[in-house]
Amino acid sequence: MITIVLYVDATDKRTQYLLEVLSGMGHTVSSFKPTDEPICLIVSPSKKPTQLMDYIELLASGSVLIGGQRCEQIESVAAEKGITYINAADDESFAIKNAVPTAEGAIMLLIRETERTVMGQRIALTGFGRINRVLAPMLSAMGARVSVFARSATDLALAARYETHHISMLDKLACGYDALINTVPARILSNECIDMMNPDMLLMELASAPYGFDMDHAEMRGIKCILAPGLPSVAAPYSAAVYLCEAILSKLEVIGYV
């Protein structure tokens, strides 16, 4: 077995459970302390690229850093220092499994942040990737009227059991919904459309920057916005830790670390 040096973020339950899961499998796990020796360091997938850069500076040559961000700059800087950077999130099976706690977390927020039942709500989902392919049937089963806005013909075909629209129609139709949940990491909703929205509408952002809409503008117009990164850690941290552990050990096996 290898010794995995794990940085535990006290605010991230997923990473705390990851420590327990790895320990339960027989791996020796300890908290991170800077050392001159090469180590394998796992940090929370929610850590930003700038934070990962800080860790790189603390690691000795020959170390392995495992995070959850795709960034060429991180890989380049790490390589210059003789450090192997692994993006644990860049694993298809992990991404598919992780979509479940993300979708459940979105429903949790929808229930918590609105004053109506999910049943009967008109909900727009933008994009039809892994997350919305899980989220759409969940919402539909709860009685929501789901519409999917997507760009590719393939995604629109996969979403055919729901009401579907090309993403170019979003500005024209978005005002007719009770909630909009975005998974597209690009500005797809204009401020002009936001200006016409009912103040009771909920906008939820599940994508990464630059995000699908201008949250500052929407909040200025009195529309409730939720920026919801890291939902697996919030909704189902233990399950998320198990999925992350599987992805990490798979990646380490590929490079001969386990």
Side-chain angles (χ1 to χ4, degrees), residues 215-255:
M215 282 174 279
D216 291 336
H217 185 80
E219 289 175 344
M220 182 182 69
R221 301 295 296 179
I223 296 170
K224 182 178 286 188
C225 299
I226 302 174
L227 178 60
L231 275 180
S233 295
V234 177
Y238 178 79
S239 295
V242 172
Y243 304 151
L244 181 59
C245 179
E246 293 170 350
I248 287 171
L249 294 180
S250 175
K251 293 284 188 180
L252 289 176
E253 186 175 2
V254 169
I255 65 172

Side-chain angles (χ1 to χ4, degrees), residues 167-180:
I167 199 74
S168 61
M169 296 296 293
L170 185 62
D171 264 7
K172 294 181 180 179
L173 301 176
C175 294
Y177 295 92
D178 300 304
L180 184 149

